[in-house]
Amino acid sequence: MEKLEGTGPARTSPISAAERSLLVGMIREEKVLQNRQTAGIICVRKREAWARITTAFNGQNLGPRRTEIQLKKVWDRLKIKAKQEHAVKRREERKTGGGAPPADLPEETDNVLAILGDDIKDLGNQYDDDEMAYSAKSNRHGRLIRFTQSLFVRGKTFGVIIYNLCDTL
């Protein structure tokens, strides 16, 4: 593929399923890539790990040569896809109304989620399950009770309904 002047780098063919599984296996072996710390020495070790992965990946001759940047991008997209599929499955499991249970996740997604580990655990967000949150408050005299109902979707409040109930003393 010849590069035209000013057009940027030439595109390579899409990564195959065999190349993706090879990449996931290599990333699983490099434990430093799962480290979330950003200390200088950790960043150096991560760069070295990605250089080793790139060299080993291209040594397998499964397809065209891939750069370190391309492999990192593939890994980022695999993580995003796995997290999205996991979220959809969890949402389907929590639906009411019966029906068949959701299908199992693909093997590739399971492998990526196994590497991610703690990145996909529930944070305990009270607005996480597409349900309405209720809170009851009263003033210090116990005369006013306020029920608040909020709907949060993607971090934005779409509606707030407030009911005030006062004692008639």
Side-chain angles (χ1 to χ4, degrees):
M1 193 177 258
E2 103 183 43
K3 180 182 170 187
L4 298 175
E5 190 173 325
T7 60
R11 272 182 70 103
T12 59
S13 61
I15 192 163
S16 67
E19 289 174 308
R20 283 193 307 267
S21 67
L22 175 66
L23 179 63
V24 169
M26 289 179 172
I27 289 172
R28 181 182 292 122
E29 299 301 318
E30 293 287 348
K31 300 297 182 195
V32 72
L33 294 178
Q34 285 106 44
N35 191 338
R36 296 185 65 131
Q37 295 177 355
T38 57
I41 191 70
I42 300 296
C43 291
V44 169
R45 289 180 184 159
K46 285 182 180 184
R47 276 189 240 121
E48 292 170 352
W50 276 110
R52 284 192 301 272
I53 287 173
T54 304
T55 303
F57 185 87
N58 288 325
Q60 296 292 324
N61 292 326
L62 291 176
R65 291 185 56 80
R66 309 284 181 176
T67 65
E68 185 176 320
I69 294 169
Q70 289 172 325
L71 293 178
K72 282 182 181 180
K73 188 69 170 176
V74 168
W75 174 239
D76 288 341
R77 288 182 178 160
L78 284 173
K79 289 191 301 187
I80 290 168
K81 181 183 169 196
K83 287 177 183 181
Q84 287 174 345
E85 289 177 354
H86 178 70
V88 167
K89 183 178 181 202
R90 283 194 50 206
R91 201 172 305 122
E92 291 296 319
E93 287 173 346
R94 293 181 181 203
K95 278 186 178 178
T96 58
D104 290 334
L105 295 173
E107 183 180 348
E108 179 180 272
T109 301
D110 282 337
N111 292 338
V112 172
L113 292 175
I115 293 171
L116 294 178
D118 292 339
D119 284 356
I120 58 165
K121 286 193 177 175
D122 185 17
L123 298 176
N125 184 354
Q126 61 184 356
Y127 304 110
D128 193 30
D129 295 333
D130 296 334
E131 61 187 28
M132 304 299 272
Y134 296 93
S135 62
K137 297 180 181 179
S138 65
N139 67 0
R140 61 186 145 126
H141 301 291
R143 293 188 180 197
L144 174 68
I145 299 175
R146 178 176 282 171
F147 292 96
T148 306
Q149 183 179 33
S150 301
L151 174 63
F152 282 81
V153 177
R154 293 189 181 129
K156 296 180 181 177
T157 304
F158 281 97
V160 175
I161 303 169
I162 299 175
Y163 300 98
N164 291 330
L165 303 173
C166 297
D167 290 339
T168 55
L169 295 177

